[in-house]
Amino acid sequence: MLFAAPLIPGRLVQRYKRFLADIETDDGLVTAHCPNPGAMLGLNLPGRPVLLSRSTNPTRKLPLTWELVEADLPGGPQWVGINTLRPNALVAEAFRAGVIGALAGHDVFRPEVRYAQASRVDFLASGAAAGPCHVEVKNCHMMRRPGLAEFPDCVAARSARHMRDLAQVVADGGRALVVIVVQMHAEAFDVARDIDPAFDRAFREARASGVEVRAYRCAVSPAGVALTDEIPVITPP
C-alpha cells in the first residue's frame, strides 16, 4: 500500500485527547488527526520524527493525518505505522495478492459483516470448499522487548468480546481467523497480558476452542506500508 502523495515530515510536540497531535513542521506548528485510540506506549514521546498524510477532502476539519513515527524501540530505531485504519486495507490487499496462506481457496472477501449479537466481523471470506471464514483484524505497534510485538497497549474490552464471539462461531461449527497486523519489523508476537489480563484470557480461550491466529509483520517506510511475512505467535496455551 503506497501513500498517494509524499508524506509531510515533522516532529511530535504532543498527542492529546486521544485523536489530536500537535506537530512541528517546516511550515510551523500544525494540529493533525491521530487515528489511534490506544495508549501508543513508546510512540508518543515529544520530539520524535513523524510523517503526515494530507487529505484531498477540502471540507475536512483537520486535513493532516499522523501516519508514521520513527520510534526508538528496544531493537533499534525504525518507522512504525500508527494509523489503525490501515490494517484492514493491508489485509484486503494481502488477500488479493494471495499472501495470507490461511485463506487460500477463498475468492470473496466481504467487509463489515454482522454476526453474533452486536458485532461486525472485519471480513467474511468465502468461496472455499471448506466453507466461509470469519476474519478479525487487529493492529499491533508496541514493542517493549527486542523483536517482540505485543497487543494490546491498553485495556481492550471490545477486542476481548470479539475473541469470545469468534469462539462461538467455531463452537457453532464455523471457522474463525484473527490476523494480527504488526505495523513494524518484529520477530514474534505475544499478548501483553500484564496490560490486559482479561483480553489475555479471552485470547487463549479462543485459540483453545479452535480460533486460528496468524501474525504478520509489515515493511514500513515513508513510501508505504505492506504486509510481508508471517511471524510466530508465542502466546502459551
Side-chain angles (χ1 to χ4, degrees), residues 4-178:
L7 299 183
I8 300 166
R11 287 191 178 272
L12 179 65
V13 175
Q14 63 171 335
R15 182 251 187 151
Y16 56 103
K17 295 183 179 178
R18 296 177 71 191
F19 299 111
L20 297 176
D22 287 342
I23 311 291
E24 189 66 49
T25 71
D26 290 342
D27 295 326
L29 185 67
V30 300
T31 299
H33 173 55
C34 176
N36 193 313
M40 296 180 61
L41 298 177
L43 305 179
N44 58 2
L45 300 177
R48 299 308 306 172
V50 301
L51 291 172
L52 313 173
S53 63
R54 184 181 295 277
S55 173
T56 57
N57 182 355
T59 64
R60 196 172 126 169
K61 183 177 180 180
L62 295 175
L64 298 177
T65 297
W66 183 5
E67 296 284 354
L68 308 181
V69 59
E70 189 177 42
D72 189 13
L73 299 178
Q78 60 168 302
W79 287 110
V80 178
I82 66 97
N83 189 338
T84 60
L85 302 178
R86 296 292 185 189
N88 281 27
L90 289 167
V91 169
E93 181 181 73
F95 173 80
R96 292 191 295 269
V99 172
I100 304 176
L103 294 175
H106 293 280
D107 55 12
V108 177
F109 211 45
R110 282 199 297 141
E112 295 292 322
V113 177
R114 290 185 180 274
Y115 80 116
Q117 289 187 345
S119 293
R120 288 178 182 266
V121 72
D122 288 318
F123 297 100
L124 183 65
S126 59
C133 180
H134 287 67
V135 182
E136 185 69 30
V137 179
K138 297 298 178 190
N139 176 73
C140 175
H141 50 39
M142 181 172 70
M143 181 179 289
R144 298 181 292 178
R145 286 179 281 172
L148 182 63
E150 295 179 278
F151 175 91
D153 66 355
C154 61
V155 174
R158 183 168 175 265
S159 291
R161 174 168 58 82
H162 288 160
M163 301 306 299
R164 292 190 293 269
D165 288 343
L166 293 175
Q168 188 60 51
V169 168
V170 175
D172 292 339
R175 183 182 174 215
L177 169 68
V178 177

